[in-house]
Amino acid sequence: MWSEKQEEVDALSQKGAYVQALVAAQQLVGIARDNLGDDHFITIVSLSGLAHLFQSSGDQAQAETTLAIAVAAASSRLGDDHPETLNLRGELAQLYGARAAFDEAQVVYESIRKGYADGLGSAHPAALNAERTRALNYQNQARFKHAASVLEGACSGLKAVLGPYHGEYSYCVLQQANFVDQIGDFKQALPLYDQALMIQRASKAPDDPALYSPRIFRASLLRKLGRLVHARDTLLQLVDDIARAPAPIDPALGPAKSALAQVYEDMGDYPKAEMLIREVFEFHSESVGPDHPQTLTALSALAGVYRKQGHLARAEVTFQDAYERFKRTLGEEHPASITLRNNLGQILEKQGLFDKAEPHLRSAFTLAYKVLGEKHPTTRASINNLALLHESQGVFDKAEPLYQ
């Protein structure tokens, strides 16, 4: 009975029918608890799967609560330092990081690090992959030196243990490429993306869905390098590859079209960019729901296209909608909510609505400083935008201290 229900959950998830999948997954947990007990391994696996579905559907709070129950059950049944317990705690730390609770996440990562050192050893691939997620936590805080050091150690360890052509090592190289891409070292990122793709292509078919994400990352980097025609042609081919793949449609179709829309924006072809973003918005609305972060990210991107075309009133309404829905789903302190509030303030300023813009820009700055720290790029951008607003108002005595 459990296996049949699990197959039902898997089938619904693959179709993107998350509402029905959540109902079936909750029934699955009930079956496991009734027949095997609260801390049986099958119950723990069922709870973990339910948590992932809550996360996929955008319910961060329920995902955390459910995964915390799974962690407690695993700790009771298997012990605090069992690899499965440590793996679940790592997933919980990632959820903390997703809502910008970086300090909470860091505490968990440090305990995971110690757990692996006392159990499997620091050089075990599971321990090294946990270090990769710890590096990402530093990266999301803009603590780039810490992130670089931890990530370099993890990749060097995986290469030494598994060899230079192992899939796990290729994912670490891909993470390094993403990291140096984020900090703006585009020329260094390109060979890293190429290296990761070379390793993965050696063991996969040319149309393997596992290659979609690295292909998107590489094409997006080409855009940043100004190689727009190359980026456009690469993404057009990728979108076609995904669309022609057997059903169901791969979730990578949304990010691929979003990346292509950015290329068209940079080329000044705003009608094509807008058309693609509308397609992405509809794709995510149908697959994961209207208030899922992926859907709202597409809505925000649509507002950005309106802004670039000079349709400021439409941009304002759309940014406002995206901000309110992000705030309702993830909270006002989530980095995405902060960025959207900053964007909304900028749009109001561009329309000369300074009194309406100031509360948004000031709040964005205050929350960014609190959540991300004064050195984070989002915080610095919000300080700059608030200072520019005061200059536009002619209030130079308020603007000047912000530049210091």
Side-chain angles (χ1 to χ4, degrees):
M1 186 175 181
W2 183 90
S3 59
E4 292 174 357
K5 183 61 70 173
Q6 181 64 68
E7 289 176 2
E8 180 186 346
V9 171
D10 291 341
L12 290 167
S13 299
Q14 288 174 1
K15 291 193 299 183
Y18 291 113
V19 174
Q20 298 97 314
L22 276 169
V23 173
Q26 288 169 321
Q27 293 171 348
L28 186 69
V29 171
I31 292 169
R33 280 177 164 159
D34 291 344
N35 290 278
L36 301 169
D38 288 344
D39 63 352
H40 191 278
F41 186 73
I42 294 296
T43 306
I44 295 168
V45 170
S46 302
L47 284 165
S48 176
L50 177 59
H52 289 155
L53 276 172
F54 277 129
Q55 184 182 16
S56 296
S57 62
D59 194 336
Q60 176 82 14
Q62 282 287 2
E64 281 189 28
T65 300
T66 305
L67 197 54
I69 295 170
V71 169
S75 182
S76 171
R77 180 82 174 192
L78 305 170
D80 290 342
D81 294 338
H82 189 279
E84 186 59 33
T85 307
L86 295 174
N87 180 57
L88 288 169
R89 284 162 68 190
E91 293 177 7
L92 185 58
Q94 289 182 60
L95 286 178
Y96 291 155
R99 62 173 170 85
F102 301 124
D103 291 341
E104 290 179 60
Q106 193 60 34
V107 170
V108 178
Y109 283 128
E110 291 296 342
S111 69
I112 293 170
R113 188 182 186 191
K114 183 179 183 302
Y116 276 122
D118 294 342
L120 297 174
S122 299
H124 191 279
L128 295 168
N129 281 319
E131 285 291 274
R132 286 176 50 206
T133 56
R134 187 165 75 95
L136 187 59
N137 191 55
Y138 282 130
Q139 184 178 338
N140 289 336
Q141 299 174 73
R143 298 172 65 181
F144 296 130
K145 288 185 179 179
H146 286 81
S149 176
V150 173
L151 186 55
E152 176 60 35
C155 290
S156 296
L158 287 169
K159 184 178 182 181
V161 173
L162 301 174
Y165 299 104
H166 194 279
E168 289 294 326
Y169 173 62
S170 75
Y171 295 133
C172 202
V173 174
L174 184 62
Q175 186 175 339
Q176 284 185 307
N178 286 333
F179 171 69
V180 295
D181 187 347
Q182 181 184 341
I183 62 176
D185 193 348
F186 302 142
K187 289 185 178 180
Q188 184 182 347
L190 187 58
L192 287 170
Y193 281 131
D194 288 340
Q195 182 185 357
L197 272 168
M198 178 196 71
I199 298 170
Q200 292 185 21
R201 280 173 170 153
S203 59
K204 301 181 188 301
D207 57 352
D208 193 308
L211 298 174
Y212 292 159
S213 289
R215 288 170 67 186
I216 293 170
F217 293 143
R218 187 181 184 279
S220 296
L221 179 63
L222 292 173
R223 176 184 68 82
K224 294 171 188 174
L225 289 167
R227 296 162 63 178
L228 299 181
V229 173
H230 191 176
R232 180 199 63 194
D233 293 347
T234 299
L235 288 165
L236 283 169
Q237 181 62 57
L238 178 55
V239 167
D240 185 60
D241 289 346
I242 298 172
R244 287 190 293 105
I249 297 175
D250 195 277
L253 183 62
K257 284 189 172 182
S258 294
L260 181 57
Q262 287 184 305
V263 173
Y264 282 127
E265 276 192 58
D266 286 358
M267 298 176 87
D269 194 340
Y270 298 121
K272 282 186 180 177
E274 182 179 336
M275 177 192 70
L276 281 165
I277 293 171
R278 285 186 180 279
E279 290 176 4
V280 172
F281 176 72
E282 291 168 6
F283 172 74
H284 288 315
S285 294
E286 293 175 4
S287 62
V288 294
D291 288 333
H292 191 278
Q294 289 180 321
T295 308
L296 300 183
T297 298
L299 186 61
S300 175
L302 186 60
V305 174
Y306 291 153
R307 176 171 58 184
K308 288 190 176 180
Q309 294 179 86
H311 303 320
L312 299 185
R314 292 175 72 188
E316 177 193 340
V317 171
T318 310
F319 272 132
Q320 180 75 50
D321 185 20
Y323 167 67
E324 293 295 340
R325 289 160 71 174
F326 249 121
K327 184 174 70 170
R328 184 171 63 247
T329 302
L330 298 175
E332 69 173 354
E333 294 189 356
H334 191 277
S337 299
I338 295 171
T339 298
L340 277 168
R341 190 154 198 188
N342 188 59
N343 290 341
L344 180 57
Q346 286 183 288
I347 284 294
L348 291 166
E349 181 194 359
K350 286 182 180 296
Q351 296 176 85
L353 303 172
F354 300 137
D355 290 342
K356 288 185 177 181
E358 183 170 355
H360 290 291
L361 293 175
R362 187 169 297 282
S363 179
F365 160 60
T366 302
L367 290 171
Y369 191 95
K370 173 188 173 183
V371 175
L372 303 171
E374 65 176 318
K375 295 183 179 180
H376 194 279
T378 299
T379 308
R380 291 178 175 177
S382 65
I383 293 172
N384 185 64
N385 291 333
L386 185 58
L388 290 172
L389 172 68
H390 289 319
E391 285 188 3
S392 298
Q393 293 172 304
V395 189
F396 299 107
D397 59 327
K398 285 187 177 181
E400 187 174 351
L402 294 171
Y403 286 121
Q404 295 175 356

